[in-house]
Amino acid sequence: MRHVTIMGVPFLHINQQGFVDLLVHRIEQQEKTFVVTANPEVVMQANENATVMNYLQQATYICADGIGVVKAAQILGESLPERVTGYDTMVQLLEVGQQKHFKIYLLGAQKETIEKTVANIHKNYPNVDVVGYHDGYFDWNNNDFANEIATLQPDLVFVALGVPRQEKWITENLDKFSKGVFIGVGGSFDVIAGTVKRAPVIWQKLNLEWLYRVLRQPSRFGRMLVLPRFALKVFALKLKGQGKTK
């Protein structure tokens, strides 16, 4: 499959619907799949931390979760069809799961948040089988934890531990599973639980969802400082003629 590489991170050249269709096919074929949804912050972390880059290198697919990544591809002389977000991917997989009776496991967030997430999934997607869930507070060194999930044989494991903890957990435990799609979804549980509102559609269409989040959660401002650093590095690569695809 075609990829667009940005600062060493290979992004799958695919649109949102195509990506969901691909993951559904892999679920039906029982092909184990590790998905990373990467925005500029993730790309910068990977470039500044070899351990994080190693997590990304273990992924089956990396999708462009952020307009910054799509714009960077254009600057480097390539193109990505559109951003493919973790939240949209999760919701669309739940919609398909409603039809196909997928089994899912949820890991991450605070106890109250994940309980609300599960309740809303039961309400909105009653045919989706939530085989188990656990909040993000657990003994990382308890090896039985992942083994217990593996015995449930979920089709989908949504991991909302934040970057890079969610990618670390998937990387370290993937070999315990024989099948399933494993995807880090960041703060998606908060949105599904209703504790955080997603940006209105008009903000999404204007590619200003990141700004909406900052305005709603000023504590995120420090994290957004990575964006100008990401942009400067992309332009520096452009000047060096290092935009590459594979």
Side-chain angles (χ1 to χ4, degrees), residues 216-235:
R216 296 278 298 189
Q217 298 174 281
S219 60
R220 297 177 63 95
F221 179 76
R223 291 174 55 184
M224 293 300 101
L225 294 178
V226 73
L227 295 177
R229 292 197 295 116
F230 174 77
L232 286 172
K233 189 151 188 176
V234 169
F235 280 113

Side-chain angles (χ1 to χ4, degrees), residues 42-239:
V42 176
V43 176
M44 290 299 289
Q45 283 193 37
N47 274 259
E48 296 169 354
N49 186 321
T51 300
V52 177
M53 181 64 84
N54 179 63
Y55 297 151
L56 269 59
Q57 290 173 345
Q58 307 308 310
T60 312
Y61 304 119
I62 302 175
C63 63
D65 188 348
I67 191 61
V69 174
V70 176
K71 294 297 184 183
Q74 293 175 350
I75 291 168
L76 294 174
E78 256 300 335
S79 66
L80 289 165
E82 62 181 346
R83 63 185 188 136
V84 179
T85 75
Y87 174 79
D88 289 323
T89 300
M90 179 177 180
V91 170
Q92 288 181 256
L93 286 171
L94 288 173
E95 291 171 351
V96 177
Q98 169 70 6
Q99 302 169 12
K100 297 180 177 288
H101 300 268
F102 285 161
K103 297 194 297 184
I104 71 170
Y105 191 98
L106 296 94
L107 173 63
Q110 297 181 351
K111 187 174 185 294
E112 181 180 1
T113 299
I114 196 167
E115 288 176 348
K116 288 182 179 179
T117 301
V118 171
N120 285 339
I121 289 175
H122 282 316
K123 176 182 176 181
N124 297 317
Y125 311 99
N127 290 334
V128 171
D129 184 6
V130 181
V131 296
Y133 64 92
H134 198 290
D135 60 50
Y137 301 88
F138 56 87
D139 181 0
W140 199 279
N141 297 314
N142 180 1
N143 293 325
D144 291 337
F145 185 74
N147 292 331
E148 290 171 1
I149 300 174
T151 62
L152 298 170
Q153 296 191 319
D155 299 303
L156 283 154
V157 178
F158 296 109
V159 186
L161 298 173
V163 178
R165 292 181 73 241
Q166 56 197 26
E167 287 73 27
K168 171 180 169 66
W169 188 89
I170 296 172
T171 298
E172 292 181 351
N173 293 287
L174 195 61
D175 63 351
K176 298 178 174 68
F177 298 83
S178 60
K179 66 169 190 174
V181 169
F182 299 76
I183 176 171
V185 293
S188 297
F189 291 1
D190 295 283
V191 180
I192 292 175
T195 56
V196 172
K197 289 185 177 181
R198 195 180 186 193
V201 175
I202 185 63
W203 289 71
Q204 296 177 43
K205 289 183 176 180
L206 292 173
N207 296 318
L208 293 174
E209 193 168 4
W210 62 272
L211 178 58
Y212 180 87
R213 290 199 296 267
V214 172
L215 294 175
R216 296 278 298 189
Q217 298 174 281
S219 60
R220 297 177 63 95
F221 179 76
R223 291 174 55 184
M224 293 300 101
L225 294 178
V226 73
L227 295 177
R229 292 197 295 116
F230 174 77
L232 286 172
K233 189 151 188 176
V234 169
F235 280 113
L237 292 173
K238 174 67 173 179
L239 291 174

